Structure formats: structure tokens, C-alpha cells
Amino acid sequence: MKMISKISKIVLALTLVGSSVFAQSIADAKKAIDAEQFQKAKSMLKNLTVTQPTKDENFFYLGWVYILQEYPDSAKTNFQKGIAVNPKSALNYAGLGAAAFLDKDRATATTNFNQAVALAGKDSKPYLYVGEAYLLNDVDGKVPAADANAAIAVLTKGKTVNPKDAEILVALGDALRTQSKNTEALSNYQSALELDPKLAHAKVATGVIWKYANNFESSENEFKAALAIDPNYGPAYREWAETDIRWALSDPKMASAKVKEGADNYRKYLSLTDLSVESRLRYADFLLYAGDYKTLQTEAQALSSAANGNLKVYRYLGYAGYENKDYPAGLTAMNTWITKADPKRIIPRDYVYLGRLQLASKQDSLGVASLRKAIDVDTTQVDVYPEIAKALYGQKKYAEAGDAYHVFTQKGRNVKLLDHFYEGVSYYFYVSYNDKIPNADAYIAKADSAFSYVTQKAPSDPNAYLYRARVNELKDKDRNNIVGYAKPFYEKYIETTNAKGGTPTDKVKKELAEAYVYLATFAEFKEKDSAKTLENYTKARDNDPTNKQVVAYFARKGGGAGKAK
């Protein structure tokens, strides 16, 4: 792959430049961190921890780079070194809290955050990084409300400590933005720019607000403004690329142009970073977001062979394997990721893809278990219920399939009428294929309710009427004492089918025959109306002369199925 070759060359060039060229100061290291040049920042900071081993902030910022790269253990090691140098290092306690937060150890995180704030005094930076830590669980621009509110609270205190800390204002804007408090967020970004007009980060953050509001032109203008401040500010190109993809997904007319522009902008971002494994992993995230699974698989395969590889590449190989229908490779990769990665790094979507790959590999029981695991880990993953239901339906576990569809129809985000329909079909099959069910009436009621919903929403569609009729027919257990529960629904099926016009298919003809046979049976045994019985059996015969009940009826009449006497 040409891109990988270029990456290798640039990495080599960076290596040859040597760390001695870079200015060895905290200010320059922080600038590199902000520009997402993490390898460069680490090189500087490792050098500073050697040349200035008594400065606790050197260890903090080195640890913070590891936090941003999601290596909490390495981060924790450096924060502890910072505390060893200065037991009252508020920054490093904030760092320990962040590491615990990444490890999902909320109690330890809170203890360390409180200690950081207690030691901060008039220094606003510990407040900044406690606030930033609470925002680490950002998923597509959203953070759990409790975490965002905690960030807002501590950053507001930091703002009080130092109203002129522009970084605090940007972080506060970020926290507010995750809760869609965009007006307040914009106010903080503007205040930050008034303090520091060259703060490219604030311009980019403003652009992100417009991105999530789907105001793409305004978003692009902010990214261009950030690049006018600093033409080499990589995060502006990254956010611009992600905005391009969101634009492409929102506007089909712009899709082709914006996907191409997005790829170009991301390549610019990569060229401005240090092209570390972590930067390329972020590129993989972009490809995943863009839905470019073929390129994702190629890039992940290249990353998997890198000497300093990261297990996370197996997640991408698993996802791409499924989407590219390379199921054996995908399943092997996902099993590697699930079994070897730190359990804290496993996310619900990993179990979703593992389940999908298992189902695609005919490992149905394992697949259903994995999809259920995704829901156990995160109850909001309701959109996997149709996949669970479909697998259970294929295994003829109809009651469980119906229950899965029911949960989805009640709680899902993108529920279709077809989901309600299959809910009803699943319950219907459960009762109709099992003679001895102690609570059959309850399942009949569930099926009837599902089909009733479909007929209300799509009153001209015959299919739900047919199945509602079949379900209600199950209530008439004694043909000699027929009530006729199914009668109005078979009549509605006939009405809506005939209203469609045209020549019915062979399948529809058989279904029409079924409906007329039921009406004939009702007329014969309930209404005692022989003329109506003959009329309905005749209509049934016109649609399907091979119907067994039709054949039996006309045989009783002595004329066979072909002629009545």
C-alpha cells in the first residue's frame, strides 16, 4: 500500500532528525500534545524527566500523553514518580485519578481528584486536568451526563481560581458541548480566544459544535480559521475530515466529493503528526466511522505486522472482516482481541461484532450469547435485539425470538413495522407448532397485539390481517362450537388483497383459498347457511383447487373438486 510506504519513510525521517533538535521545554511539549504529536511530546518529556528529575510536572505531562493514548498503566507509573518527587503534586494526583477513571475504578478516581483539588491552591491546572479526565469517555461527541456535569463543576471552580486560563475555558466549552449546551460552550470558546487569539484549539472546538449541528459550511470556516492561525495544526484537518464524512452521510449529493475531501484532509492530518502507531490507529477509527472497511482491513493488517503493534488492530480486523464478509479472518481477529486485550478495554460493540461473526460462521448459540453479552454490558444496546431474534427464529426458538423482538419494538431506536410483524409471527409459530403450552392464551394475545399494531399503522397491507386471522383462529378450539374470532380478519384480508388489483401470485391464491375456507366453515357450522358455504368453497376452489378442505367438501357433495352439484 503506497500510503504505508510513505508512512514508513516519514517515520524514518523523523527518527533521523533526532530529539536534540526539538526544544526541550514543558511549553513545547504541551504544544506537541495539543497538536497530537504524541511521540514527539514523549521524546521531549522523557528527556526532561532525566535532565530535570526533580520537576514533578515533567512526569505528569509524560503520564498525560499515555492517558490520551489509552495506556493507563504507563500513565500511572509516571504519575507515581511525580508524586515521589513532590508528595503534594496536585497535577499528578489529577493524573492518578484519570488513570483510575480509564480503568473504570470510579472510587479511586474520585479520591485522587479530590486530593488534586485540595492541593491545587491558586493553580488552575489541576482543575483543568480533573475536568479533562471526566471527558475521557467521549463517544461521537457525547459524554454520560453525570461525567459531563462533574467536569463542568470542577472546571467552573478552576475558572474562578483563574478567570484568565484560556485552556480552562476551552475545556469548559467542551464539557458543555457534550450536553448540547452549545450557546454556553460558544461563549467560553469566544472568551478563550479573547484571552489568546492564537488559540487554534478554540477555533477547532467551535467548528465541532457546528459539525454536530450539521451546519457544515460554518464548521469548515472555523477549521480554516484555525489553520490560518497555525497552518500545521493537525487536529483541524482531523476534525475537518470527520466533518466531511458526516456531511457525506447527511447529503447524498455531496457524498462522493466529501468522502474524497475527507480522505485528503485525514492524510494531511497524518502528515502533520508523528505517524506513530497511535496516530494510525486514530486513522483506523476514521475509516471505521467513514465505513471504508476495505481500506480499514488493509491498514489494520499493516499495523498488525508492525514491531510495536497494538492489540487494538485486532478489533479493526474483526469489524472489517465482518463487513467485508471475510468471516473466518474476522472471527479469528475478534477472538484474539476479546481473549488477549485487557478486559477494561472491551466495549459492548466488540461483543456485537463477535456475535455477528459467530452467527455468520453458523455458530448460532455462541452468537446469541455474545449479542446478549453486549446487552448485559450496556443495556442501551437494544438495537442488537433483532439480530438475536433472527438467530433464535432460525433455531426455531420462537418464544424467545418473539420476546427479543418485543424488547426491540418497545425500546429500539429505529423500529420498523416489520419488527412488530415478526414479533407476532414468532409468537404465532410458538403456539401453532406446540400442542401443549400451559399459557398458550398469553402468547396468542401477544401475537394478536403485535399484528393489531401493524394493521393500525398499515391498514391497506393484507399480510398482518392474514396472520391476525390465523392467530385468532387458534382461539376456536371446538369446530362444532365455533365463535368466529378470525372471521373479521379473514374478511379484511380478502378485501385488502382484492383492492390491490392485478393477478395474484400462486402464494396469494393459496392464502385467499385459506380465507374463503374459513368463511365457508363458519357458514357451515355456525350460521348453518349452505348457500353461503357453497359460495365460499367455490371461491376457495377458484383460487386453489388442490386445497384439502376444498377437495373434501366437494367430495362430500359428490362432484369432486372440479364441479359442484
Side-chain angles (χ1 to χ4, degrees):
M1 186 177 178
K2 290 182 179 179
M3 181 177 176
I4 304 303
S5 176
K6 290 180 180 178
I7 288 172
S8 300
K9 291 176 181 178
I10 296 172
V11 169
L12 178 60
L14 285 171
T15 304
L16 294 174
V17 167
S19 60
S20 61
V21 175
F22 301 128
Q24 302 296 302
S25 72
I26 284 292
D28 287 309
K30 287 179 65 177
K31 185 176 179 180
I33 292 171
D34 183 48
E36 297 177 14
Q37 297 171 338
F38 297 130
Q39 290 302 108
K40 178 179 177 181
K42 280 196 289 191
S43 177
M44 290 179 178
L45 290 162
K46 285 178 180 178
N47 186 59
L48 286 170
T49 60
V50 173
T51 59
Q52 301 172 356
T54 60
K55 288 191 174 182
D56 56 288
E57 63 179 341
N58 293 334
F59 294 99
F60 167 74
Y61 285 107
L62 179 55
W64 192 253
V65 176
Y66 284 116
I67 288 291
L68 296 176
Q69 294 182 317
E70 297 183 24
Y71 295 122
D73 291 341
S74 297
K76 185 177 178 181
T77 297
N78 280 284
F79 298 140
Q80 288 171 333
K81 288 179 180 177
I83 291 170
V85 169
N86 176 10
K88 294 185 178 181
S89 176
L91 276 176
N92 281 290
Y93 276 108
L96 284 178
F101 191 85
L102 276 184
D103 277 339
K104 300 178 183 179
D105 182 355
R106 295 301 181 101
T108 301
T110 300
T111 298
N112 283 300
F113 289 154
N114 290 341
Q115 182 72 348
V117 168
L119 293 170
K122 294 183 179 181
D123 183 1
S124 59
K125 294 308 179 191
Y127 293 92
L128 168 65
Y129 289 102
V130 171
E132 294 275 19
Y134 277 119
L135 301 178
L136 289 171
N137 281 340
D138 183 310
V139 178
D140 196 24
K142 295 295 181 184
V143 169
D147 294 339
N149 289 334
I152 291 167
V154 74
L155 290 166
T156 301
K157 290 179 181 177
K159 183 178 176 180
T160 302
V161 169
N162 183 3
K164 294 187 177 181
D165 186 334
E167 290 180 305
I168 284 273
L169 295 172
V170 172
L172 183 53
D174 291 344
L176 291 162
R177 185 189 73 214
T178 68
Q179 303 307 294
S180 300
K181 297 179 179 179
N182 293 336
T183 301
E184 296 170 73
L186 285 169
S187 175
N188 280 280
Y189 294 147
Q190 187 57 43
S191 295
L193 285 165
E194 289 171 3
L195 289 169
D196 183 358
K198 294 188 176 182
L199 194 60
H201 188 150
K203 281 291 183 183
V204 171
T206 303
V208 172
I209 283 185
W210 297 128
K211 174 181 78 171
Y212 286 116
N214 289 346
N215 186 343
F216 302 118
E217 291 89 349
S218 294
S219 187
E220 283 192 349
N221 287 337
E222 294 297 335
F223 301 141
K224 290 175 183 176
L227 291 167
I229 293 170
D230 181 357
N232 295 319
Y233 191 64
Y237 282 112
R238 176 178 53 73
E239 289 290 357
W240 192 351
E242 292 173 7
T243 299
D244 284 327
I245 297 304
R246 189 179 177 94
W247 194 341
L249 294 172
S250 301
D251 185 353
K253 293 180 182 178
M254 299 292 290
S256 179
K258 287 300 168 185
V259 167
K260 181 180 183 302
E261 183 179 89
D264 290 343
N265 280 325
Y266 215 96
R267 279 191 284 270
K268 290 175 184 174
Y269 163 71
L270 285 172
S271 72
L272 292 168
T273 68
D274 42 36
L275 293 162
S276 63
V277 167
E278 287 74 25
S279 293
R280 291 167 64 188
L281 285 172
R282 190 147 193 173
Y283 176 52
D285 281 324
F286 168 77
L287 293 170
L288 183 63
Y289 177 59
D292 186 352
Y293 297 106
K294 291 191 180 299
T295 305
L296 175 62
Q297 192 166 18
T298 300
E299 176 71 2
Q301 285 169 341
L303 280 166
S304 69
S305 61
N308 57 339
N310 186 306
L311 272 174
K312 193 176 179 181
V313 299
Y314 292 104
R315 171 187 284 161
Y316 300 122
L317 286 171
Y319 289 13
Y322 173 77
E323 298 292 347
N324 294 330
K325 294 183 169 52
D326 188 358
Y327 302 129
L331 184 57
T332 298
M334 280 310 297
N335 279 325
T336 299
W337 170 247
I338 295 286
T339 56
K340 292 188 177 181
D342 185 329
K344 299 186 187 76
R345 299 181 71 191
I346 307 301
I347 60 175
R349 188 165 58 166
D350 295 337
Y351 291 111
V352 171
Y353 270 94
L354 177 62
R356 288 171 176 171
L357 285 161
Q358 289 166 330
L359 291 173
S361 303
K362 309 301 181 186
Q363 299 176 11
D364 290 355
S365 295
L366 289 174
V368 169
S370 294
L371 292 174
R372 289 195 186 280
K373 177 72 172 177
I375 296 168
D376 290 341
V377 174
D378 179 4
T379 56
T380 66
Q381 295 285 320
V382 291
D383 290 339
V384 304
Y385 273 108
E387 296 178 69
I388 294 173
K390 184 178 179 181
L392 291 167
Y393 187 93
Q395 297 173 42
K396 298 184 179 181
K397 295 179 179 179
Y398 296 120
E400 293 177 62
D403 289 344
Y405 276 121
H406 181 71
V407 173
F408 179 65
T409 58
Q410 300 307 303
K411 299 180 180 180
R413 288 181 283 266
N414 189 26
V415 182
K416 298 179 176 63
L417 276 182
L418 201 58
D419 298 309
H420 290 274
F421 180 77
Y422 279 121
E423 176 190 343
V425 170
S426 299
Y427 287 134
Y428 165 68
F429 282 163
Y430 177 60
V431 178
S432 62
Y433 290 161
N434 295 276
D435 295 330
K436 297 178 181 180
I437 300 174
N439 54 346
D441 289 345
Y443 286 98
I444 289 172
K446 290 179 179 181
D448 189 49
S449 176
F451 293 131
S452 174
Y453 181 87
V454 178
T455 58
Q456 290 172 43
K457 297 295 182 181
S460 62
D461 187 346
N463 290 313
Y465 292 114
L466 176 64
Y467 271 95
R468 195 172 186 195
R470 289 170 174 173
V471 166
N472 278 274
E473 192 173 358
L474 294 172
K475 297 178 182 179
D476 272 325
K477 299 177 176 64
D478 183 359
R479 191 174 72 164
N480 294 314
N481 189 28
I482 190 170
V483 176
Y485 296 112
K487 183 174 181 289
F489 305 116
Y490 274 125
E491 289 173 338
K492 198 68 179 175
Y493 171 73
I494 293 168
E495 176 191 330
T496 51
T497 298
N498 290 335
K500 286 182 174 293
T503 303
T505 65
D506 290 342
K507 177 178 178 293
V508 171
K509 286 181 178 181
K510 288 182 182 295
E511 292 168 348
L512 282 167
E514 173 191 334
Y516 283 120
V517 164
Y518 178 87
L519 296 178
T521 303
F522 184 82
E524 182 176 6
F525 292 97
K526 182 69 175 180
E527 297 175 320
K528 310 298 182 183
D529 186 333
S530 59
K532 191 180 289 186
T533 301
L534 175 59
E535 178 189 353
N536 282 298
Y537 269 124
T538 300
K539 290 179 179 178
R541 180 185 61 189
D542 291 343
N543 280 284
D544 182 13
T546 66
N547 182 287
K548 291 181 180 180
Q549 288 167 275
V550 167
V551 171
Y553 172 77
F554 285 108
R556 291 201 311 274
K557 288 291 184 180
K563 183 179 179 182
K565 290 186 179 179

